[in-house]
Amino acid sequence: EKIATVIDHLIEVDARVVHFVGYEVNLARFLCEAARRGYAGEDAVFIYATFWINSDWYEEFAPHTRCSSSALLAAGQGLFGIDRLRLAEDSVGPHSGSQQLPSQIMSEYHARCEATDSMLFGLDYTGSKCADMHSAYSYDATWAWAFTLDRWIGRGHDPVEVDYVSAGARESVWKTEVQEQDFVGLTGRVRHYPNGDRDGELQLFQIQGSSIITLASVVNQGQTIDWRP
């Protein structure tokens, strides 16, 4: 009902470009209700910024909407999305922390998450797609902190000094430890620019037919766009 109200407002103000974030199921509901109201196709451009995207998204989330999977796929045609670079391949070598290959890490993760009951917003996700990207970045973030504390303690500091209440401690840890990080992670090379941004890559994709097409990669802190042929 709330999504329908939002769409009615967008139609009322004649919004032609809509940029939004949200969970996958809410995206599916948005696209479904937009199509049911004739607010799709050439009428508006939808841009979705998040970490998700699975090739069978329309089949997975159609049961949570008022559209069939085919209708939901049709509603998603032309949708633009922004996503992080895909997970590292085994060719980059083992993770600097766990010393496991990316495929080994993800295999263990899938074995555990698919065997665990999962409820979110009243919906049962048990046995559905695992949150690969979210989990991979959490995995690397955990290792980043492990490396940070290891160096911090190795230099004679007490872990208690890493106190978020103290701006001075935060700044000290950042300048002396975090900016020195440079390791091979599950999400690629993990290092940071002086301004705090992660050195990483974004992808611009679009739903075309039943495929998710990568249109371009954005690198060098957004200064370089590599358009795909």
Side-chain angles (χ1 to χ4, degrees):
E1 183 178 343
K2 292 182 179 179
I3 291 178
T5 300
V6 170
I7 294 173
D8 288 339
H9 175 69
L10 293 174
I11 295 174
E12 181 181 354
V13 300
D14 195 26
R16 298 302 179 92
V17 178
V18 180
H19 185 277
F20 58 98
V21 297
Y23 287 102
E24 304 96 310
V25 67
N26 288 331
L27 169 68
R29 288 169 175 166
F30 178 91
L31 293 174
C32 174
E33 295 304 319
R36 287 168 58 88
R37 286 165 169 72
Y39 183 57
E42 298 179 357
D43 292 333
V45 175
F46 298 147
I47 304 173
Y48 188 48
T50 185
F51 286 88
W52 83 280
I53 202 62
N54 293 312
S55 59
D56 60 351
W57 66 275
Y58 53 95
E59 296 178 345
E60 183 176 356
F61 294 101
H64 306 299
T65 72
R66 296 196 290 174
C67 291
S68 64
S69 58
S70 59
L72 187 57
L73 177 61
Q77 292 304 300
L79 171 74
F80 289 100
I82 302 172
D83 195 2
R84 287 287 187 180
L85 181 66
R86 298 305 181 191
L87 301 183
E89 302 288 341
D90 284 353
S91 58
V92 305
H95 192 284
S96 296
S98 65
Q99 294 301 308
Q100 290 180 294
L101 291 172
S103 63
Q104 294 175 308
I105 299 171
M106 295 311 298
S107 177
E108 291 181 7
Y109 164 66
H110 283 159
R112 294 184 181 184
C113 81
E114 291 173 0
T116 303
D117 292 338
S118 178
M119 295 293 293
L120 181 65
F121 299 122
L123 300 176
D124 186 1
Y125 283 82
T126 303
S128 63
K129 301 294 182 182
C130 299
D132 289 4
M133 295 301 292
H134 288 286
S135 300
Y137 275 88
S138 295
Y139 186 86
D140 281 348
T142 300
W143 273 108
W145 267 111
F147 286 135
T148 294
L149 291 175
D150 181 65
R151 287 193 300 271
W152 182 256
I153 296 171
R155 290 174 177 174
H157 294 283
D158 189 317
V160 177
E161 295 178 54
V162 187
D163 182 358
Y164 271 100
V165 177
S166 169
R170 293 199 303 271
E171 184 178 4
S172 177
V173 172
W174 168 251
K175 287 185 175 180
T176 61
E177 307 300 336
V178 179
Q179 288 198 66
E180 293 183 12
Q181 284 185 355
D182 190 352
F183 66 91
V184 176
L186 189 54
T187 57
R189 188 176 182 180
V190 179
R191 61 177 181 171
H192 296 82
Y193 292 106
N195 66 357
D197 287 344
R198 163 81 183 273
D199 177 13
E201 181 176 333
L202 293 174
Q203 290 183 326
L204 174 65
F205 62 83
Q206 185 181 43
I207 294 178
Q208 298 178 11
S210 59
S211 301
I212 300 166
I213 306 299
T214 299
L215 302 180
S217 295
V218 183
V219 297
N220 192 23
Q221 290 185 289
Q223 299 181 34
T224 304
I225 300 179
D226 178 21
W227 292 98
R228 304 296 173 86

